[in-house]
Amino acid sequence: MNRKQFLRGNKTEYRPPWAIDEDRFTELCNRCSDCFSACKENIIEKGRGGFPQINFQQGECLFCGDCVEQCQTGALQKSRYEADAAPWMLKVQVSDKCRNFTGVVCRSCGDRCAERAIRFRPQIGGKQKLQLDYEMCTGCGACIAPCPVQAVKLIPVSESWLSEQESLLEVCA
């Protein structure tokens, strides 16, 4: 969390895909709204200070790249040296508010996850165990809006965090 986020009360703002680092982004972005109109999913909206942010309650990101193509300032940019680079390092996180943890069967997030990064494994007694596959998660946000208790969110992660999660899965297996 940076200083700005701390002072704002840690409300997460998701920038459009392929946004450069936050300080440079706010320096370069001229708030022209071109990325808003380029987004066919209509999930880019005005955030604090008029800067674009993603609202996953409106839908998911398809990573079409139209917002990047419309950005004239360089605040959004695909790296020409890393053609397969991820648009962002966001991964799904499910809090203990999840109905599945309270014994209520709900698979709304998993049903919406086309990548199958969120799965529910049947357990003895009719319960289901939530299983997250961080390698499969693209951070598209399709799982967020359908959650009836807002237990699903995306969190920014690093490569080292992903390695730690994979190690934990190996230990638990």
Side-chain angles (χ1 to χ4, degrees), residues 41-57:
E41 299 301 309
N42 295 313
I43 62 170
I44 302 178
E45 63 185 23
K46 242 177 235 250
R48 292 181 194 255
F51 292 105
Q53 70 178 26
I54 301 290
N55 181 350
F56 288 114
Q57 293 300 325

Side-chain angles (χ1 to χ4, degrees), residues 141-157:
C143 54
I144 295 176
C147 180
V149 293
Q150 298 177 334
V152 182
K153 67 179 182 175
L154 294 177
I155 58 167
V157 298

Side-chain angles (χ1 to χ4, degrees), residues 3-4 27 39 57 65 83 98 113 128 130 143 149 151 156 162 172:
R3 181 173 172 252
K4 200 182 304 183
E27 188 179 303
C39 181
Q57 293 300 325
C98 175
C113 183
Q128 298 183 27
L130 174 68
C143 54
V149 293
L162 284 174
C172 295

